[in-house]
Amino acid sequence: MKIICSKENLQNGINIVQKAVSTKTTLPILEGILLEAEDKFKMTGNDLEIGIECFVEADIKGRGAIVLNSKMLGDIVRKMPDSEVLIEAKENNTVIIECENSHFELKGISSEGFPSIPEIKKENGFEISQNIIRDMVRQTIFAVSFDENRPVLTGEMIEFKEGEMVVVSIDGYRLALRKSKVEGIDVDINVVVPGKTLGEIIKILSDTDEKINIYTSENQILFDLGNCRVVSRLLDGDYLNYKSIIPPEFETKIKVKTEEILSSIERASIITMEDKRYPIKLVINTDNMIISSNTDTGANREEIHIDTEGNNLEIGFNPRYFIDALKVIEDEVVEISFTSNVGPCVIKPVNGEKFIYLILPIRTRND
């Protein structure tokens, strides 16, 4: 194998496929990137849970394949001058990497033992703009669970039905949901994708209208960007019925400026230092809300204007859960609904339901 590639293209390809390279394995080949030069130059990373392959523009001088340690290759290319890079695999899996006056010789691994990425038939799928799915995942992934005792909740449910895409994550203390209408597509999909996979996907997707095709099989999902393919296993098990978790009725509703309540809660959280024993307290009155925190190290209190419908209320929350949700909301004003001082609250748009964030309360020290 022998190829010549610009440092920029090579670096971009490495950065993408490295997201699927294993960092905890006893198999050296899984710590590597597969380089293949045939009609095109392709780079692949595969940790057996997620596989990423990326086609990189290069001048192919000789066909072949080799596996190189991902970290070593990435470090070398990153330190290279901004010029053309030559990579050549010779006998005994020795690999030459040259750029201007820089010369490296690395010991590669035969490509024969590198695990192939599963092939998924491009049948059960749909096309969507990259920026739409990127935002939907970004605005929900923070509520994915890390509890391995409930593995299905370590992923996000992606549902596609009747032209509407829904992305949901639940960690047992909160729920995050985003909806988006997608015209002209008639498929039914309901899968649970590992949070790790989606966390890497949003790093690859662009904030543009460029399309991405998504296909599913019985236990795999494919994200096809054209020059880059990401294949991941799906999580087994029945996801929670998110519709039954969202309360149908509320005792109190408020409308509040998103940035104003976010800033106030962030200041209050400085005192709590994210200690779950010390939640922030919300005191809701007719036209104002008092946000306060009180711990052994200090106290905070401030008042913001709100529009209230329903009863006055006192309730406590883990501030981090509110901050995570409010930070990804782009609406200037939100509606927050409360069932009671011991029931969940729901954050929604003033109009519609394009996003829903449900948060369970915490008893305050005075309860």
Side-chain angles (χ1 to χ4, degrees):
M1 185 197 80
K2 183 177 180 180
I3 63 104
I4 297 174
C5 181
S6 72
K7 175 193 172 178
E8 181 182 6
N9 288 345
L10 196 57
Q11 180 90 62
N12 288 341
I14 292 170
N15 289 343
I16 290 173
V17 300
Q18 269 185 338
K19 302 180 192 311
V21 174
S22 179
T23 56
K24 297 178 181 179
T25 179
T26 57
L27 301 175
I29 200 166
L30 294 184
E31 296 178 339
I33 293 174
L34 172 63
L35 310 181
E36 295 177 281
E38 296 297 333
D39 295 331
K40 296 181 178 180
F41 177 50
K42 183 171 72 173
M43 309 176 76
T44 305
N46 189 355
D47 68 0
L48 304 182
E49 292 191 1
I50 175 175
I52 303 177
E53 61 180 28
C54 183
F55 289 96
V56 178
E57 186 176 341
D59 185 5
I60 297 173
K61 300 294 186 181
R63 295 174 178 242
I66 195 72
V67 177
L68 289 177
N69 180 273
S70 171
K71 185 178 186 308
M72 183 73 72
L73 178 61
D75 289 346
I76 288 173
V77 173
R78 187 166 52 252
K79 297 294 185 182
M80 288 289 192
D82 292 328
S83 186
E84 299 291 306
V85 179
L86 177 142
I87 301 178
E88 182 177 7
K90 294 184 172 293
E91 295 180 0
N92 301 320
N93 295 325
T94 299
V95 179
I96 307 298
I97 303 178
E98 293 181 341
C99 182
E100 293 186 355
N101 298 321
S102 181
H103 177 94
F104 284 87
E105 287 189 18
L106 300 181
K107 191 64 176 177
I109 302 174
S110 171
S111 63
E112 292 180 3
F114 196 86
S116 59
I117 293 179
E119 286 294 328
I120 297 177
K121 292 182 180 180
K122 295 182 178 181
E123 295 176 348
N124 190 35
F126 61 95
E127 184 182 68
I128 191 170
S129 297
Q130 292 189 33
N131 55 357
I132 292 177
I133 189 167
R134 177 175 174 266
D135 286 345
M136 293 180 75
V137 173
R138 178 181 60 84
Q139 293 168 349
T140 53
I141 196 167
F142 59 83
V144 165
S145 174
F146 293 96
D147 184 0
E148 293 298 336
N149 293 318
R150 305 176 76 185
V152 73
L153 295 186
T154 64
E156 287 204 86
M157 189 195 74
I158 296 179
E159 183 180 58
F160 203 103
K161 191 172 184 179
E162 297 178 353
E164 183 177 67
M165 182 175 178
V166 180
V167 178
V168 182
S169 59
I170 303 170
D171 68 3
Y173 302 97
R174 54 186 168 169
L175 171 150
L177 179 150
R178 277 282 280 113
K179 296 180 181 179
S180 180
K181 288 285 186 183
V182 183
E183 301 295 334
I185 301 173
D186 184 22
V187 296
D188 283 357
I189 291 175
N190 190 303
V191 295
V192 183
V193 186
K196 175 189 173 184
T197 297
L198 293 173
E200 301 301 347
I201 283 287
I202 60 175
K203 297 174 186 175
I204 298 172
L205 297 177
S206 304
D207 187 16
T208 68
D209 288 331
E210 291 183 27
K211 302 297 184 180
I212 177 174
N213 288 284
I214 301 174
Y215 304 95
T216 63
S217 66
E218 185 176 345
N219 55 7
Q220 303 279 344
I221 187 167
L222 164 64
F223 299 87
D224 191 347
L225 288 81
N227 67 332
C228 178
R229 295 171 69 249
V230 181
V231 176
S232 170
R233 68 181 180 92
L234 295 171
L235 295 177
D236 293 326
D238 295 326
Y239 205 76
L240 293 178
N241 181 358
Y242 68 90
K243 294 179 181 178
S244 69
I245 299 172
I246 301 169
E249 298 179 351
F250 300 93
E251 176 182 318
T252 305
K253 291 184 180 182
I254 68 169
K255 293 178 183 177
V256 60
K257 290 184 177 179
T258 308
E259 185 58 38
E260 192 169 356
I261 186 173
L262 171 59
S263 298
S264 295
I265 292 176
E266 285 180 325
R267 286 189 288 269
S269 71
I270 296 173
I271 298 297
T272 67
M273 296 186 296
E274 299 190 14
D275 189 331
K276 292 183 180 179
R277 295 176 301 166
Y278 300 110
I280 59 165
K281 180 191 284 188
L282 309 182
V283 178
I284 298 169
N285 301 310
T286 303
D287 58 2
N288 69 68
M289 177 163 62
I290 299 169
I291 300 172
S292 62
S293 55
N294 189 352
T295 74
D296 295 338
T297 57
N300 162 269
R301 181 187 185 280
E302 55 186 275
E303 182 179 314
I304 61 173
H305 174 76
I306 60 173
D307 292 328
T308 305
E309 176 186 331
N311 302 328
N312 293 351
L313 188 71
E314 291 187 14
I315 192 167
F317 290 97
N318 180 332
R320 173 50 50 194
Y321 295 165
F322 253 96
I323 291 169
D324 286 344
L326 293 169
K327 268 189 171 180
V328 298
I329 294 174
E330 297 171 352
D331 293 31
E332 185 177 349
V333 178
V334 292
E335 179 182 275
I336 307 178
S337 304
F338 303 86
T339 54
S340 68
N341 65 347
V342 294
C345 84
V346 171
I347 306 173
K348 295 167 55 176
V350 173
N351 297 303
E353 292 187 342
K354 66 180 179 181
F355 61 80
I356 297 175
Y357 299 105
L358 179 147
I359 304 172
L360 293 180
I362 301 175
R363 290 189 178 275
T364 62
R365 300 179 77 187
N366 296 328
D367 288 346

